[in-house]
Amino acid sequence: MPTEQGNAQGSSPAAASGIGRRGALLAGGAVLAAGIGAAAAELARGDRTDGRSVTAGAGAPPAATAISFHGTRQAGVLAPQQPATHLLAFDLPRTSAAADRKTLREVLGALTGTLATAASEAPADPRLQSGATTRLTSLVGIGPAAAARLRLDVPASLAVLPAFPGDRLDPRRGDGDLLVQLCAADRWTLTVVAELVAAAARSAGAVPRWTQSGFMAPTAPGTTPRNLFGSKDGTANPDRAAADQWVWGPSGAHRDGTVLVYRRIHMDVAGFGALPEGKRDRVIGRRAGDGSPLSGTAEHDEPDVYAKNPDGSYVIPATAHVRLASPRLDRGARMLRRSYSYDDGPDDRGLLFCAFMRDLNQFVRVQERLATRDALNPFVQHRASAVAYVLPGAGKSGTLGDGLWT
Amino acid sequence: MPTEQGNAQGSSPAAASGIGRRGALLAGGAVLAAGIGAAAAELARGDRTDGRSVTAGAGAPPAATAISFHGTRQAGVLAPQQPATHLLAFDLPRTSAAADRKTLREVLGALTGTLATAASEAPADPRLQSGATTRLTSLVGIGPAAAARLRLDVPASLAVLPAFPGDRLDPRRGDGDLLVQLCAADRWTLTVVAELVAAAARSAGAVPRWTQSGFMAPTAPGTTPRNLFGSKDGTANPDRAAADQWVWGPSGAHRDGTVLVYRRIHMDVAGFGALPEGKRDRVIGRRAGDGSPLSGTAEHDEPDVYAKNPDGSYVIPATAHVRLASPRLDRGARMLRRSYSYDDGPDDRGLLFCAFMRDLNQFVRVQERLATRDALNPFVQHRASAVAYVLPGAGKSGTLGDGLWT
């Protein structure tokens, strides 16, 4: 029904009807606009006063407009978080650096064309012409090993992560020279587009390495999604000013890029669920019910890591997850977290931790604290890991990675 | 937001808003009501004159009402097809028949409670309290081996399927004494409820056997979902009168039950896609674009298996899929097909064929023709199989399987 699909940059009857439906669902509550245009508008408004983050639109029902592939920043980071994700990693053939540079250029050209078409109002594949708009968003990133070997222009912090205590990483499920993250409202779109992306990358010379799918809890607009432990995940995400300081950049050639850290974290859902509720809340440092920190009364209260009980003990225990991950221990640094849950069978469920940051060391510092002291550690295991420099976006006549070849 | 959730048997403001949104999406097109109450109303209206089937609501955006677990027939067959599915199979311990009968009774009691609560307006698990209603539907069925061994009162046709030419069945992914199919609007709900179902079944003595997840193409209300080959799948589904004749029953104790055939069919998507479009259409016997049979001009035109070209050849080729599956070759018998796609990695994608029928031989007769002659065979492979007697529904004071114990 192409007549119903408005321009992504403007409003449309269908988008209005979507907002109307959300309004009905919220029964008069705050209505947060979704879609990249709205997200950009939200970012442009600057800091919000209600304490919600730039990803507050997570889980919003999809509007009936496509999200344009083109822009100064890739839509897979910028647009509100969508219900489903699919990641694909590829390697380059590792012949000579010169040959691999040429291959990478061809792969990025092929991916630019494939992703722009798949995300458009008129995707070429008939399986994406269902009457519903796909709402595909994507990001493409470069792994640290390839960046070093091919002398690409990437941020100085991009590196292979150090080993952390407790890591049980499967290299067949992590790393890679090239990372593609697809997000959409539904799994069907991801499966079809993943097939197109893999075919495009392979035909340009890339070698498939791993794939992983994930999904998000249905989440009312303006609220934070839960993970399989039942915890709200992403509460302390940065607002716009903090994102400019801690997520995008560094300034200069990389100001519209960011670094993605991906961790496939197996969760012992039954084991954690067997703890009494009060104990679970002390492990996390927040109350599962409303997500409020133990030091406060509302989800968006800043956790007070210095607050003490009358007996002198910390209100948020010394090994609580939120304490060790607190920006207060890290000069205010915040990562933009957009994690998903995964379900790879009854014995392997957990979290696909996805976080975006300017400097990889933001993650390293937090993870060093968590890996040694987090009370959650008996219930989680990091089983795969990847890092990528998420390229700046491509304009309508541009190609992803145009800035890599200095 | 319980104030918005109407009774599943009645109308509600939320349901009205859902219909309003669909109406907007359809821009004045036919609005098909969704939800089990609406589905029942549709069934009660009798045959439709527009040629659409009783599953025409497939892919409808979920309304904001829960779908009651309770009813004379299980909602997992009766309600409009939902976007996502998850199947779980269990075995009984195979001690003595008497002990296994007792275990089965306890498992069915546990499943009745778990599924009724999870599908209710107020599911107990906080991970299902997202503000969005789960729209969970489910069905529970009994495998033929268990039915025979435990002398349960099931339809006489229930049996293990014969081997078909080309079968490459993995027993670790098929069969089972007890089958549970969950359906919902989203994968999160399925993952959480699957965990609850598995815990309930295990604690009552059942042994997990296999699980499988699947999903559907986003599909505008009133249209037929596509599979990964791009073909519309489910066009010839029965209307209400045909469903009473061919899907439910046989009459008597089993009139509100049905038999499910599940086939996990691997599809060579790249291989089929490499055929020229005209060739693909002759393999299927329908045009991929609009789903019309080669003998007609619209999707719901009945395929004319006798129509010939001027040169004397059949318009629908002798080995075309729709010819061999045609009800005309089978005294009008129709199965209710509610298939899903699956994506278990780049090398294993395909179809979860799910079909409901009164008599298992309806499937056997079609599959015998397809397995020997279908032009699709070079591109598909049946890799797992299961059969189950889908029990009649349970009323508010009843338990699934109350009629098994004669």
Side-chain angles (χ1 to χ4, degrees), chain A residues 1 4 17 21 24-25 27 62 127 130 186-188 191 195 215-218 226-228 269 341 343 349, chain B residues 1 4 17 21 24-25 62 64 127 130 186-188 191 195 215-218 226-228 230 269 341 343 349:
Chain A
M1 285 160 287
E4 298 208 74
S17 103
R21 178 158 183 267
L25 287 172
R127 295 171 298 174
S130 63
D186 66 281
R187 176 66 189 270
W188 170 266
T191 286
E195 182 192 310
F215 51 88
M216 202 169 71
R226 292 182 188 271
N227 63 32
L228 288 171
V269 176
S341 295
D343 178 358
R349 292 181 174 146
Chain B
M1 284 157 287
E4 298 208 74
S17 104
R21 177 158 183 267
L25 288 172
R127 295 171 299 174
S130 64
D186 67 280
R187 176 64 190 271
W188 169 267
T191 286
E195 183 192 309
F215 51 87
M216 202 171 70
R226 292 183 189 271
N227 63 32
L228 288 170
V269 176
S341 295
D343 178 358
R349 292 181 175 146

Side-chain angles (χ1 to χ4, degrees), chain A residues 71-132:
Chain A
T72 55
R73 292 171 174 173
Q74 291 194 72
V77 191
L78 198 64
Q81 188 173 359
Q82 297 206 69
T85 195
H86 194 82
L87 296 114
L88 304 93
F90 300 90
D91 283 333
L92 295 167
R94 313 223 172 182
T95 48
S96 68
D100 276 4
R101 275 173 73 102
K102 183 162 175 293
T103 299
L104 178 58
R105 228 172 163 138
E106 285 168 7
V107 172
L108 290 171
L111 289 177
T112 301
T114 299
L115 292 169
T117 304
S120 73
E121 305 277 350
D125 193 301
R127 295 171 298 174
L128 300 176
Q129 299 163 4
S130 63

Side-chain angles (χ1 to χ4, degrees), chain A residues 203-228:
Chain A
S203 71
V207 181
R209 185 178 171 97
W210 56 268
T211 66
Q212 177 67 52
S213 70
F215 51 88
M216 202 169 71
T219 305
T223 63
T224 310
R226 292 182 188 271
N227 63 32
L228 288 171

